[in-house]
Amino acid sequence: MMLNSTIIGNKIAEARKKSNLSQAELANKISISPQAVGKWERGESMPDITTLNRLAEIFGLDLNYFSDTFQSVTNEKQNEVVSNGQSIEQSNEEPKRRFDWNWDMSNSNWVDADFSGLKDLKDKFSSSNIKNCKFIKSDLSGLTLKGNAIADCDFSQSDIRNGKIYASEILKSTFNETSLIDAEIQQSEIKNCNFDNSNLSGAEFINSNFQKNSIENAELRHTSFKNVGFTEITFGGNLEDCSFENCSFKGVKFVNATILNTFFKHNRKFNKVEFKDCKVDKLTFAFLKSNGAKLEGISIIEEQTTDKI
């Protein structure tokens, strides 16, 4: 479904005129200013998804009407002309809602759109360019992003658990307090993003680049990194039951981190990794040592024993 501000503006103007509404009357129905409606119709701005849904309801249209591929279908129950030239009286019944949240948003260009609170997007958002959009507190669990270019977007406090991100580029976006539990990220470029306070437990990063991202206070349990290129990343907090295999490290630090039962194998440039005030268990220490890590800044957590009485 291809959308842009010019197409949407022309569609709004056309539907408004067919509904015999002025810009002011339409604006009053959706509680915005007439100037905002004017900007839409001139293609200077674009309504968010919630407002588009409301406009479709007002005009009695399918939401896909706003797509450039939509072909209008005449409603036989409306504007039917009889032989004497008089129109049959339209029904006073509420029009049937012809839209749900499972519509296909793939192969689109989205700019400055607000999808906050969106639900059940699933696999309908691939091969799209998404810039400066908001997905705050959205339920995106099970979402598939494939071949996407995402920049300057905000996914704060969203649920993307069990999501799949393939062959995508994500730049300068925020995932603060976001759930990425059991997410799968493959062949993707993630750069200059904020994952502070996010939950990455069970997530798998495979054949990807993870560069200059912030992950302060992120939760990493059973998190797996395989064939991942790390650049200018600082790990802190707790890492438990994690795995780093065949990864490369450039400008990477582990600071004030507690690393438990975590596997390191065949990593490149691992002797360049800096450890500062880190605590590890004996098994993790063995993995680090065999991987050529600099052991300064690492202390082993002593196992506590209970004396028998």
Side-chain angles (χ1 to χ4, degrees):
M1 181 175 183
M2 298 297 294
L3 294 177
N4 62 48
S5 58
T6 301
I7 291 173
I8 289 178
N10 291 336
K11 296 281 189 177
I12 291 173
E14 179 184 2
R16 176 181 61 78
K17 292 173 183 177
K18 287 183 178 180
S19 298
N20 295 317
L21 293 172
S22 67
Q23 289 185 347
E25 289 170 332
L26 178 59
N28 184 58
K29 287 180 176 290
I30 50 180
S31 302
I32 63 169
S33 68
Q35 290 81 4
V37 175
K39 287 184 177 181
W40 293 344
E41 295 187 356
R42 293 192 297 272
E44 295 174 3
S45 63
M46 187 170 67
D48 60 36
I49 187 63
T50 303
T51 306
L52 278 177
N53 184 32
R54 176 65 180 139
L55 288 170
E57 290 178 344
I58 291 171
F59 298 141
L61 297 168
D62 190 309
L63 186 69
N64 285 309
Y65 163 80
F66 296 110
S67 167
D68 62 351
T69 59
F70 177 82
Q71 295 185 4
S72 177
V73 178
T74 302
N75 188 333
E76 295 180 356
K77 292 184 180 180
Q78 296 184 358
N79 302 322
E80 183 179 348
V81 181
V82 294
S83 58
N84 62 1
Q86 300 294 319
S87 296
I88 294 177
E89 185 177 353
Q90 296 183 3
S91 171
N92 290 325
E93 296 180 2
E94 288 292 327
K96 181 180 180 181
R97 185 181 178 92
R98 293 180 295 273
F99 164 72
D100 61 35
W101 285 111
N102 292 319
W103 62 305
D104 193 346
M105 298 167 70
S106 300
N107 300 297
S108 302
N109 293 309
W110 298 96
V111 180
D112 298 323
D114 190 348
F115 299 104
S116 297
L118 197 66
K119 297 182 179 180
D120 300 325
L121 206 55
K122 305 303 180 188
D123 58 349
K124 304 294 187 179
F125 217 162
S126 292
S127 302
S128 295
N129 296 315
I130 308 168
K131 185 176 181 181
N132 199 33
C133 293
K134 295 180 180 178
F135 296 84
I136 300 170
K137 295 183 179 179
S138 294
D139 182 359
L140 307 176
S141 55
L143 171 68
T144 295
L145 294 174
K146 186 175 182 180
N148 291 79
I150 300 172
D152 299 294
C153 293
D154 192 347
F155 293 85
S156 295
Q157 301 180 54
S158 286
D159 185 353
I160 317 180
R161 72 183 63 215
N162 297 307
K164 294 177 173 58
I165 301 174
Y166 300 145
S168 294
E169 182 181 64
I170 305 177
L171 306 176
K172 296 186 289 185
S173 295
T174 300
F175 294 85
N176 190 277
E177 298 183 22
T178 297
S179 174
L180 286 154
I181 295 173
D182 295 328
E184 185 176 322
I185 298 92
Q186 289 197 37
Q187 299 177 335
S188 295
E189 182 93 7
I190 303 174
K191 186 175 181 180
N192 292 319
C193 294
N194 184 329
F195 290 88
D196 293 349
N197 304 297
S198 62
N199 193 335
L200 300 173
S201 296
E204 293 183 89
F205 292 79
I206 304 170
N207 299 324
S208 298
N209 288 316
F210 200 74
Q211 303 181 41
K212 301 181 180 180
N213 301 305
S214 176
I215 54 173
E216 291 186 14
N217 300 315
E219 185 171 352
L220 288 87
R221 295 179 64 251
H222 304 284
T223 308
S224 173
F225 300 96
K226 188 171 184 178
N227 298 319
V228 173
F230 292 103
T231 303
E232 296 184 34
I233 301 293
T234 299
F235 290 94
N238 297 326
L239 290 83
E240 185 175 355
D241 297 314
C242 295
S243 174
F244 295 82
E245 187 173 0
N246 294 316
C247 298
S248 64
F249 295 80
K250 181 179 179 181
V252 175
K253 300 178 182 179
F254 287 78
V255 179
N256 294 317
T258 300
I259 312 171
L260 303 175
N261 199 37
T262 293
F263 182 66
F264 295 87
K265 182 180 180 182
H266 296 157
N267 295 300
R268 299 177 297 282
K269 299 182 180 179
F270 202 66
N271 61 338
K272 303 293 185 181
V273 176
E274 180 181 346
F275 291 88
K276 182 178 180 181
D277 298 325
C278 293
K279 298 178 181 179
V280 304
D281 59 2
K282 289 183 178 180
L283 181 61
T284 301
F285 185 84
F287 287 137
L288 291 171
K289 185 176 180 179
S290 67
N291 226 228
K294 291 181 179 179
L295 302 178
E296 296 86 357
I298 300 174
S299 61
I300 298 177
I301 299 172
E302 296 295 335
E303 296 182 2
Q304 296 182 352
T305 59
T306 301
D307 295 332
K308 293 183 179 180
I309 300 176

